[in-house]
Amino acid sequence: MLPTRLLATRTYSTASNRFRVVEVGARDGLQAEKKFVPTEVKVELIDRLSACGFSTVETTSFVSPKWVPQMADHNEIVKKHKRFNGVSYPVLVPNAAGLKNALATGVVDEIAVFGAASDAFSLKNVNSNVEDSLKKLLEVTKIALDNKIRVRGYVSVVVGCPYSGDVKPEVVARVAETLLEAGCYEVSLGDTIGVGTVKSVGKMLDTVLKSVPANKLAVHFHDTYGQALANVLVSIEKGIRAADSSIAGLGGCPYAKGATGNLATEDLLYFLKGNGFETGVDLEKVVETAKWFNSAAGYDKWSRVGRAISNKMEAAQKC
Ligand code: HMG
Ligand code: MG
């Protein structure tokens, strides 16, 4: 039987008004940032996010520091952040070397593996084409499961690739199926460069949903062209009840030319609440966390909703 902590992540059924928001700011949000964010700031960010009520907070990547220098402090991050009851803390792992390092910390209990739906992107991102990278991911997934580590899967560039253009939905479906068959508890479909629209995302989902049930899928939108919330809506209409987002809309992928920030968590939470979904996440606390992060890291990054709520909170304090 799986240890209790490994059961923390819920998946919600198609008709549910419960929705799981996976906070990826500390990993996807920061990985492409040139200026190194101090480790203690990242650790406090993760702790503050945990206190907001998320059930999944992605924390870092066990990738090569030569490839992604911002994630070089992964060992310290996973050892120093607090672990709240009922919260999963996946770390991104690209290969067996990354998994070995993650296991050696003795504290990692969930990993995320990432495949792609285009050879050109896969080669830039992990130096292997889709097939070879899947072989490595399956090996990593098996070792992780043997070690009682939960595995979440990602498929990147699900509608458009920055190097080869439109992506075939059938390839997305095949990669998602392969990851689920290997034992991932969920697969997150990533529009890595944020080019998707209701039409292209809807078409991709229709194909994937022929072979993968909606409660095994999450969506992961970058907001390059401002389409992310519309794409969440079409995903909800098709029965999906989980989405990744990043505080203050931080983010980008170092190997996806033109990829801007992730869908902002604040915008997603406002949208979900306004449309009758329960997430268990405290939006005002997320906005306070964004404000704290801006001052701690020397940033001035706000989502539209984050800025509006912060202004309202400041105005209320002055009254
Ligand atoms: P490679 O060059 O093929 O690997 O890179 P290698 O096996 O030849 O190793 C090269 C060097 O890296 C060696 O060191 C290895 O030891 C070391 P050297 O001998 O030169 O001193 N190495 C490692 N060090 C630490 N941790 C490791 C590791 N592996 C090898 N895990 C590799 C292959 C996958 C490592 C490389 O391509 C890599 O790290 N890529 C990073 C990819 C990445 O982080 N991309 C961003 C995340 S994906 C994403 O953002 C999309 C997502 O958000 C969803 C979406 O938006 O769609 C998930
Ligand atoms: Mg991403």
Side-chain angles (χ1 to χ4, degrees):
M1 196 173 128
L2 290 173
T4 323
R5 276 204 44 76
L6 297 190
L7 297 173
T9 306
R10 304 250 184 289
T11 55
Y12 297 119
S13 69
T14 302
S16 177
N17 74 334
R18 299 274 307 165
F19 196 100
R20 197 167 115 260
V21 176
V22 174
E23 171 57 48
V24 297
R27 193 280 303 173
D28 206 3
L30 297 183
Q31 68 184 7
E33 290 295 319
K34 295 265 179 296
K35 193 177 96 179
F36 190 77
V37 176
T39 304
E40 55 278 17
V41 173
K42 290 175 185 152
V43 168
E44 187 167 345
L45 174 64
I46 293 162
D47 291 345
R48 285 176 180 258
L49 289 168
S50 300
C52 291
F54 296 98
S55 59
T56 311
V57 177
E58 201 176 66
T59 59
T60 186
S61 300
F62 280 77
V63 293
S64 163
K66 285 182 199 153
W67 285 59
V68 187
Q70 185 65 253
M71 299 283 111
D73 54 358
H74 43 235
N75 280 326
E76 280 178 272
I77 296 286
V78 296
K79 286 182 186 167
K80 286 186 173 168
H81 76 76
K82 294 181 189 140
R83 285 169 191 272
F84 285 49
N85 257 340
V87 184
S88 301
Y89 297 97
V91 298
L92 207 71
V93 163
N95 56 8
L99 179 60
K100 195 172 163 212
N101 294 342
L103 287 175
T105 65
V107 293
V108 169
D109 57 14
E110 178 168 336
I111 64 163
V113 295
F114 52 106
S118 116
D119 282 328
F121 180 78
S122 192
L123 283 163
K124 291 269 184 201
N125 199 29
V126 290
N127 221 8
S128 306
N129 64 20
V130 172
E131 287 312 316
D132 291 345
S133 119
L134 272 178
K135 279 184 206 141
K136 290 180 199 167
L137 296 189
L138 299 192
E139 185 194 325
V140 169
T141 302
K142 184 175 181 323
I143 303 169
L145 293 172
D146 288 347
N147 281 277
K148 304 266 184 294
I149 304 283
R150 287 161 55 85
V151 187
R152 187 169 198 251
Y154 278 108
V155 187
S156 295
V157 293
V158 294
V159 280
C161 168
Y163 309 103
S164 56
D166 290 348
V167 167
K168 288 199 177 82
E170 293 73 19
V171 180
V172 181
R174 193 173 56 76
V175 177
E177 276 170 52
T178 308
L179 290 173
L180 286 168
E181 277 162 15
C184 292
Y185 70 85
E186 173 179 85
V187 169
S188 178
L189 303 174
D191 178 13
T192 316
I193 51 170
V195 289
T197 59
V198 165
K199 194 171 172 192
S200 58
V201 169
K203 186 174 161 213
M204 179 274 296
L205 289 176
D206 284 341
T207 304
V208 175
L209 286 165
K210 282 183 194 154
S211 53
V212 174
N215 70 352
K216 291 282 175 195
L217 293 174
V219 283
H220 175 116
F221 295 115
H222 287 250
D223 209 14
T224 317
Y225 295 97
Q227 304 299 300
L229 282 180
N231 292 336
V232 170
L233 182 58
V234 76
S235 309
I236 287 174
E237 283 169 0
K238 296 192 186 291
I240 292 168
R241 293 291 180 272
D244 307 344
S245 62
S246 164
I247 186 160
L250 293 169
C253 174
Y255 303 103
K257 237 181 342 183
T260 60
N262 289 74
L263 167 59
T265 303
E266 298 87 325
D267 297 13
L268 177 61
L269 290 172
Y270 183 87
F271 168 87
L272 290 170
K273 189 170 179 215
N275 287 296
F277 288 94
E278 285 172 30
T279 60
V281 183
D282 183 330
L283 173 54
E284 287 202 356
K285 263 194 184 168
V286 175
V287 174
E288 280 164 8
T289 302
K291 188 174 179 181
W292 165 83
F293 178 75
N294 275 328
S295 104
Y299 282 39
D300 187 24
K301 296 206 176 180
W302 290 97
S303 75
R304 286 175 85 138
V305 168
R307 172 69 81 191
I309 292 180
S310 175
N311 288 345
K312 202 169 141 194
M313 282 158 67
E314 277 173 20
Q317 273 167 7
K318 281 184 198 143
C319 289

